[in-house]
Amino acid sequence: ARKVASVKAGAAEAASASSVGVASAAEAEAKVGDTEQLDEEDERVTKHMEKFMDKARAIGRTPGQKAPKRAAAEYDAALDAGAQTVPRVGDDDVVRAERHAAFVAAFVDELNSLRGAPRKWAEANLGAVRERCFGGGDNKYRSATGSGVELDTTEGAAAVDALDEHLRAMVGLPRVALADGLVRSAATFTDSVRTSGALSAPPADTPAAHGTTKGKAKMLLGVGGATPKEVLLLWLLDDGKPKRTKRKLLLDPNMTRVGVSTCAHADVAQVTLAIIATDYTEKA
């Protein structure tokens, strides 16, 4: 596995094969933060989450109940399957297109698996994440994909426990539908990153590049990660972020349209952009 230098997970969800690009990755995460923030005055998401929490408690689910331990091998097997979707520097156009299409489909499937049965998803994944990715007792996240990526985290396994408690107190959410226009919009950004090598925040008007968004449309930038499951996991953990903005967006019942794109990057391994919206109409 390629040796990768550790970086702060809260600043950049990746590590670099050298020191080159790490500062830029951190800057990219910092810049895109403004596009991810929920409006301070808008309490709609919080109210929805409280409603789902109350409903879960009413049917007897206990928030904070720990998931049963799962074999790390089971989690690793799922990641190994997802590894076939991970882009690599040097892929030709045909392979890159195949991997990209597989990544997009797998990401949406994983997100819908999570939203459809949050408790079941937590039981199937988070026990293994604790054991496989946070088993060193040193607050480092160690990728289970064999990529060699190690992330310094603020919360360590406590972030997994917080996510576990949150998901176990939820009931199912509406599925998200893949919007081809949002995929193309996200790909406009990742293609630029892939060809130029430059790391920066996506332009604020990226969601509207190939269609019209109605209501809210938010972007989530991931620098690093690997498989669709791992990219989603790191956004859900939202380590070191008390507001858990990325998690709230992914679990907002009103956000039902999504597009995602990813690309390989020589310095930070991988860059992924997801766009999630309440409603979306593609340009004719």
Side-chain angles (χ1 to χ4, degrees), residues 95-131:
V95 172
R96 183 168 57 250
E98 289 175 348
R99 287 183 179 274
H100 185 269
F103 184 98
V104 171
F107 179 87
V108 175
D109 284 348
E110 193 69 35
L111 180 54
N112 277 325
S113 176
L114 163 71
R115 286 170 64 103
R119 181 186 179 91
K120 183 178 178 180
W121 193 92
E123 290 176 348
N125 291 284
L126 297 185
V129 169
R130 286 190 199 89
E131 179 182 343

Side-chain angles (χ1 to χ4, degrees), residues 13-273:
E13 294 163 351
S16 172
S18 68
S19 61
V20 178
V22 173
S24 297
E27 290 169 4
E29 281 281 321
K31 288 177 181 177
V32 80
D34 289 342
T35 70
E36 298 169 352
Q37 293 303 313
L38 297 172
D39 298 334
E40 293 292 340
E41 68 278 7
D42 185 359
E43 298 180 354
R44 176 178 53 79
V45 173
T46 300
K47 289 179 179 178
H48 273 288
M49 300 314 297
E50 290 174 350
K51 179 185 72 174
F52 283 115
M53 291 285 200
D54 290 343
K55 187 181 295 185
R57 292 188 180 96
I59 61 175
R61 295 180 181 173
T62 305
Q65 181 183 0
K66 302 304 179 187
K69 184 177 180 181
R70 300 284 176 158
E74 182 179 337
Y75 183 72
D76 289 350
L79 290 178
D80 287 343
Q84 303 306 312
T85 72
V86 177
R88 293 175 173 80
V89 174
D91 283 347
D92 62 34
D93 290 346
V94 172
V95 172
R96 183 168 57 250
E98 289 175 348
R99 287 183 179 274
H100 185 269
F103 184 98
V104 171
F107 179 87
V108 175
D109 284 348
E110 193 69 35
L111 180 54
N112 277 325
S113 176
L114 163 71
R115 286 170 64 103
R119 181 186 179 91
K120 183 178 178 180
W121 193 92
E123 290 176 348
N125 291 284
L126 297 185
V129 169
R130 286 190 199 89
E131 179 182 343
R132 181 66 177 82
C133 303
F134 287 97
D138 53 6
N139 271 16
K140 283 186 180 293
Y141 172 90
R142 292 176 172 84
S143 174
T145 63
S147 66
V149 170
E150 292 185 357
L151 307 177
D152 290 324
T153 71
T154 300
E155 300 172 75
V160 184
D161 293 339
L163 176 60
D164 191 358
E165 179 177 348
H166 188 88
L167 294 180
R168 284 175 164 274
M170 293 182 64
V171 294
L173 303 173
R175 293 173 60 86
V176 296
L178 183 65
D180 290 339
L182 290 178
V183 174
R184 292 201 300 274
S185 295
T188 299
F189 171 73
T190 57
D191 285 348
S192 174
V193 170
R194 177 178 58 82
T195 56
S196 70
L199 289 169
S200 62
D205 61 354
T206 297
H210 293 279
T212 303
T213 59
K214 298 178 182 179
K216 286 192 175 183
K218 300 290 184 179
M219 295 183 283
L220 294 85
L221 179 66
V223 182
T227 67
K229 182 187 287 288
E230 188 164 41
V231 171
L232 179 61
L233 172 68
L234 291 172
W235 281 338
L236 288 168
L237 291 175
D238 221 357
D239 177 75
K241 307 292 180 60
K243 292 184 178 181
R244 309 293 194 201
T245 304
K246 294 176 182 177
R247 182 190 301 173
K248 286 180 179 178
L249 288 172
L250 291 165
L251 297 177
D252 183 344
N254 289 314
M255 294 292 207
T256 58
R257 305 301 302 277
V258 69
V260 64
S261 182
T262 193
C263 69
H265 192 282
D267 293 330
V268 296
Q270 190 173 340
V271 176
T272 304
L273 179 67

